[in-house]
Amino acid sequence: MIYSLCLLLILVGLYGVVVSRQTLKIVVSLLIMNHGVHLLLLLIGYREGGGPPIVDPGSVITEFANGAVDPLPQALVLTSIVIGLGVLALMVALCVRLYERYGTFDVTEIRRLRG
Amino acid sequence: MFEISMDVQNLIPMFVAVPLGMSLLVQLVARRRRVMAELLTMLSLLILTLMSCYTIGSSGIYHLGGWPTPIGIDMRLDALATLLLMTVNIVGFAVSVYSVDYMRRYSARSHFYSLFLLMVTGMNGVILAGDLFNLYVFLEVAAIASYSLVAFGCAHEELEASFKYIVLGSLSSVLILIGVALVYGITGTLNMTHIATRIAETGMDAPLLLAFGLFIVGFSFKSALVPFHAWLPDAHPSAPAPVSAMLSGVLVKAIGVYVLARLVFNVFGVMDTELGLLRWLGLLSMVVGGLLAVGQSDIKRLFAYSSISQLGVMVLGLGLGTPLGIVGALYHLVNHAMFKSLLFLNAGAVEYATGTRDLDKLGGLNRMLPVTGATSLIGSMSIAGVPPFNGFWSKLIIVLACVESGHYGFALATVLVSIVTLAYQLKVQRKAFFATLPEALANLRREPLMMALAMILLAVGCIALSFVALSGLRDPWLIGAAQQVLTSGVFGK
């Protein structure tokens, strides 16, 4: 059930990318899509009622492995968020530069390249 | 004295560490001395080239931080990785030599060299990555560097092309990341060897097929196969010429075609349906790209469409799945890296001298730009498949492989596309280099020394590659070993 919400979020983002005419709206839509995937990754590592994946000095390792959520997807999401931030910064910078050159955020007016 | 340990195992991480460290160092030293940025870039690419030559014939796995395989991160070197590393770094070296003169008219050159080295870092990382997520991370490193390099000039067209590229690139990255998440959810591991053994045991089920489909679409975007090619004809011509050469010459192969081959043959295991998909994608790209190239009058845009067409030829060769087809595809990949970067550097030299890329305004440049004229003739004849140049041999192998496996239609299509290629390359040669010189271009200066050197280097590479085939058409040197990696099936067997 909750997986379908991820799918919904990704599809909302995809819809935004395809339909939006403003460069900044496209950027935000891509961000939504990206976070949909991050949520999916987190859900894959989630376990109903699972504890935090931190080993106490006294805990038994097999018990810990059966009771904790999978920490790997969390590390992946963290990496992916950082990458996403880099791409986001670059995209916003491009939008600003495009606005300086063309005087608009409208992608239908930003079309000098053809062929 | 230093004890120089030349263990290949320890050399593997250096392919990522050297360009990454250098790209930061360039920023630090270039504040004082401008020329240091150029020197450091050339030096690091030269070191990388020598290192990649040193890895010939060896293979190994490097465990980052000394952690064993299921816990730590693997970097994997084999014959296929060696072949790709050599291609990337040799082309990178030639391009860095070329940039010295070409980039003089841009400001902020040290940023260019840093981003260039970051792009090389990303590509080397993708080639050596042993698990899916690090492959994704390095792919993003290369992609982000290339987005900003496309926009480097900050003019109207460059920004527009870069925006288109970054939106489609991020979209495909999202698809790839969903694929990675699905594969991790199903197999419980990200290591490519482990995924491969797991899939070989259980076979493909529906979620894995979905992940595989996402990978195919994502990496088809990255390698600009028709119908996912919309960004390439804008992004490649708009970038500065050295960047176009890197993008068309190696980037689309290192993060597109190479990863496709790796996933199809080594990770997911070959099935006939997926090979059929690759064959049709290849056919579509080579026909559509070739036909669109004919009508172009901008040299770099023409070459960009031609790249799509040649990428189609490679993917078709891979899609045949036979040893001969894969040899042809890999051989064509290396050849294309040489002559397409050469042609983009030629186009850059023409633009540098005349200030235009419009074929209708050019003519008779052979007299004014002798080195550009001669090397572009070699490049054009190679890509068009005129014997005895390298492009002829690789296309011949692919056509033979088509016939051998009974795909006569594909063989015919490859031959026809080859003729179309010859047509548009002759158009470039005739309009730019042979016709009479227009009045406006009467007093041009010759191409600068470093640019000429880089073009000669790549032209010599094209000719040298022609001889590789003579040692045995079925099993050319180096490429045969790379082919065995792919046909030996999934990892770890």
Side-chain angles (χ1 to χ4, degrees), chain A residues 52-63:
Chain A
I54 302 167
V55 188
D56 288 328
S59 64
V60 187
I61 202 74
T62 45
E63 232 171 71

Side-chain angles (χ1 to χ4, degrees), chain B residues 43-351:
Chain B
L43 182 72
S44 47
L45 263 308
L46 186 63
I47 293 172
L48 287 171
T49 307
L50 294 178
M51 270 165 40
S52 57
C53 293
Y54 187 77
T55 60
I56 292 174
S58 51
S59 63
I61 296 178
Y62 180 82
H63 303 290
L64 263 165
W67 295 92
T69 294
I71 301 169
I73 295 169
D74 282 359
M75 295 180 92
R76 157 190 294 279
L77 177 83
D78 53 21
L80 180 62
T82 302
L83 184 73
L84 264 289
L85 281 176
M86 284 179 70
T87 316
V88 167
N89 293 311
I90 290 173
V91 171
F93 175 64
V95 167
S96 69
V97 171
Y98 181 91
S99 313
V100 173
D101 279 323
Y102 187 86
M103 295 308 290
R104 289 242 187 269
R105 37 184 200 152
Y106 289 87
S107 56
R109 285 200 298 279
S110 60
H111 296 305
F112 170 81
Y113 288 108
S114 284
L115 286 168
F116 180 76
L117 283 169
L118 273 181
M119 191 161 78
V120 174
T121 310
M123 284 189 280
N124 285 348
V126 167
I127 294 164
L128 290 171
D131 68 292
L132 280 179
F133 192 74
N134 279 290
L135 193 146
Y136 169 76
V137 170
F138 283 121
L139 183 145
E140 285 295 281
V141 170
I144 294 175
S146 69
Y147 302 146
S148 34
L149 280 173
V150 167
F152 197 74
C154 278
H156 287 83
E157 288 84 3
E158 292 161 357
L159 290 170
E160 186 189 333
S162 178
F163 189 74
K164 215 182 228 180
Y165 184 20
I166 200 170
V167 169
L168 289 177
S170 318
L171 208 60
S172 58
S173 296
V174 166
L175 296 182
I176 292 166
L177 190 58
I178 299 175
V180 173
L182 285 177
V183 168
Y184 180 71
I186 298 155
T187 63
T189 173
L190 285 168
N191 188 296
M192 292 209 263
T193 316
H194 292 188
I195 295 170
T197 38
R198 201 69 57 89
I199 290 176
E201 280 166 16
T202 62
M204 296 278 272
D205 48 2
L208 271 177
L209 266 181
L210 175 62
F212 182 73
L214 288 168
F215 282 135
I216 290 269
V217 174
F219 288 109
S220 298
F221 258 116
K222 297 283 183 201
S223 50
L225 297 173
V226 176
F228 310 106
H229 69 291
W231 57 272
L232 188 141
D234 291 336
H236 289 199
S238 302
V243 179
S244 321
M246 281 305 270
L247 292 181
S248 258
V250 288
L251 186 85
V252 285
K253 305 195 185 72
I255 72 174
V257 178
Y258 161 78
V259 187
L260 270 182
R262 202 45 126 191
L263 289 179
V264 168
F265 289 101
N266 284 157
V267 177
F268 282 88
V270 191
M271 293 178 303
D272 204 44
T273 43
E274 63 190 37
L275 287 182
L277 194 63
L278 283 188
R279 278 198 296 274
W280 283 101
L281 272 175
L283 181 74
L284 201 61
S285 315
M286 75 184 186
V287 171
V288 172
L291 292 180
L292 285 173
V294 176
Q296 303 299 322
S297 63
D298 178 337
I299 309 182
K300 281 170 91 178
R301 189 169 268 271
L302 188 150
F303 287 155
Y305 276 112
S306 149
S307 283
I308 297 175
S309 167
Q310 302 299 318
L311 284 164
V313 176
M314 279 167 233
V315 174
L316 170 63
L318 285 177
L320 292 172
T322 57
L324 194 61
I326 295 170
V327 165
L330 292 173
Y331 190 21
H332 199 60
L333 189 153
V334 179
N335 289 341
H336 185 258
M338 287 292 160
F339 50 62
K340 188 46 66 71
S341 16
L342 172 62
L343 287 172
F344 267 111
L345 295 187
N346 291 144
V350 168
E351 194 190 5

